[in-house]
Amino acid sequence: MKALCWCGKNSVQVETVPDPHIINPRDIIVKVTSTAICGSDLHLYHGMIPAMEKGDILGHEFMGVVVDKGARVSNLNIGDRVVIPFTIACGACEYCADGKFSACDNSNPDADKAEALYGHSGAGIFGYSHLFGGYAGGQAEFVRVPFGDVGAFRVPDSLSDDKVLFLTDIFPTGYMAAENCGIKPGDTVAVWGAGPVGQFAIQSAYLLGAENVIVIDDNEDRLRIASEVSRGQILNFAKSDGVIDELRERTGGQGPDSCIDAVGMEAHGTTLDALYDKVKLAVGAATDRPSAFRQAIQACKKGGTVSIPGVYGGVLDKVPFGAAFGKGLTMKMGQTHVQKYLPKLLEHISNGDIDPSAIITHRFPLEKAAEAYELFDNKEQSCLKVVLQP
């Protein structure tokens, strides 16, 4: 089969690799009909995530049709159309039983690597390094899905791939980020990053009762979509005299009730700390660039919540933790419990509350995936979200 493989920093290419096959009785094999490039795939592309190996198949946002299944998969049939959560969960451990699927105890065969770095291991993740299991990803023609009886959700034929594909990651991720804010009617929420997750965080915040959602970015194309599609109130940090001061001004001096960092480890900006991060990373003295996170802490209202769906990978420098402590902030973060949210969000799509397809800007055949990565990385041609089709 054809699959997109990681070849090194800033280098990917489509290669011919062996077809997947059933290994365990709870496996299924999915023929991929649609897959997407996620913003967090760029962290792999840039060499920011450790434990990548040449030839690793990328991609964790994918859906398709069941073409084979193991003997213990009784809730699916050959030919079922399914979406696949990016986190792999057994469905039976303490964490899965509590709805914390991204903390699954049983799905990461490389748990020792994650434990050495983080103290504990989370769930396995498709196409996301050997820290998280070394699983082959979904930017391919076929994928083996472990624990397929838990990790595959049937979707109705009445909804196109474009409508449901983002249930695999970015829609639930944006929704969980907003839910973690504990939004009350009338709240103001600030979202750093107008990328795909940021767009869904904006829309989800409104869905959960926010009155105002302010989105901070410097990309005019993404800010336009944030305004026109997601109804966000835009703040271009490159044209602002100061993000924190402007947020205070827009909120009567109080600051936003909640702040969402939908940027993560590769934030960029015009402030001195952003430039400092860039230099430290360039010389190997830092693992992440957390300038958006710092701003979120400084801007948030006393007693508010900072929600962090943006991926971080290492040790953060110069984080104003004294400000977080002094203001009594709550912080919530982590990989998304996709299996928990998927049924509810599928209902929202079916009801027309949110149309995920509205953020798709580009489509490529799988054969041109390397070209698509370059375009997405450089944000060329007003690129917000790329869908690949094998």
Side-chain angles (χ1 to χ4, degrees), residues 181-189 205-212 257:
C181 291
I183 295 168
K184 300 182 294 296
D187 275 3
T188 294
V189 179
Y206 281 125
L207 200 63
L208 291 169
E211 182 173 332
N212 303 297
D257 298 282

Side-chain angles (χ1 to χ4, degrees), residues 278-289:
K278 189 174 182 179
V279 170
K280 286 200 71 175
L281 195 65
V283 299
T287 60
D288 301 64
R289 302 197 305 260

Side-chain angles (χ1 to χ4, degrees), residues 256-304:
D257 298 282
S258 303
C259 293
I260 297 175
D261 172 7
V263 179
M265 67 192 300
E266 293 193 82
H268 64 277
T270 57
T271 55
L272 285 176
D273 69 303
L275 299 174
Y276 164 86
D277 291 340
K278 189 174 182 179
V279 170
K280 286 200 71 175
L281 195 65
V283 299
T287 60
D288 301 64
R289 302 197 305 260
S291 59
F293 181 42
R294 296 189 193 104
Q295 282 190 351
I297 290 174
Q298 294 282 11
C300 196
K301 181 180 180 178
K302 290 186 289 186

Side-chain angles (χ1 to χ4, degrees), residues 183 201-213 230-233:
I183 295 168
I202 298 164
Q203 295 181 48
S204 298
Y206 281 125
L207 200 63
L208 291 169
E211 182 173 332
N212 303 297
V213 182
S230 302
R231 298 187 295 122
Q233 302 170 23

Side-chain angles (χ1 to χ4, degrees), residues 167-204:
L167 287 168
T168 58
D169 177 1
I170 55 173
F171 185 10
T173 295
Y175 187 89
M176 186 173 112
E179 185 182 78
N180 279 345
C181 291
I183 295 168
K184 300 182 294 296
D187 275 3
T188 294
V189 179
V191 177
W192 274 257
V197 169
Q199 302 287 343
F200 285 118
I202 298 164
Q203 295 181 48
S204 298

Side-chain angles (χ1 to χ4, degrees), residues 17 165 193 248 326:
V17 301
L165 174 60
R248 285 181 183 147

Side-chain angles (χ1 to χ4, degrees), residues 33-37 61 161-162 165-166 357 359-366 372 383 385-390:
T33 56
S34 293
T35 181
I37 304 175
E61 297 180 353
D161 280 20
D162 287 354
L165 174 60
F166 304 140
S357 67
I359 71 165
I360 298 171
T361 55
H362 290 74
R363 301 175 192 277
F364 286 83
L366 180 64
C383 184
K385 190 65 177 177
V386 178
V387 172
L388 303 172
Q389 286 162 323

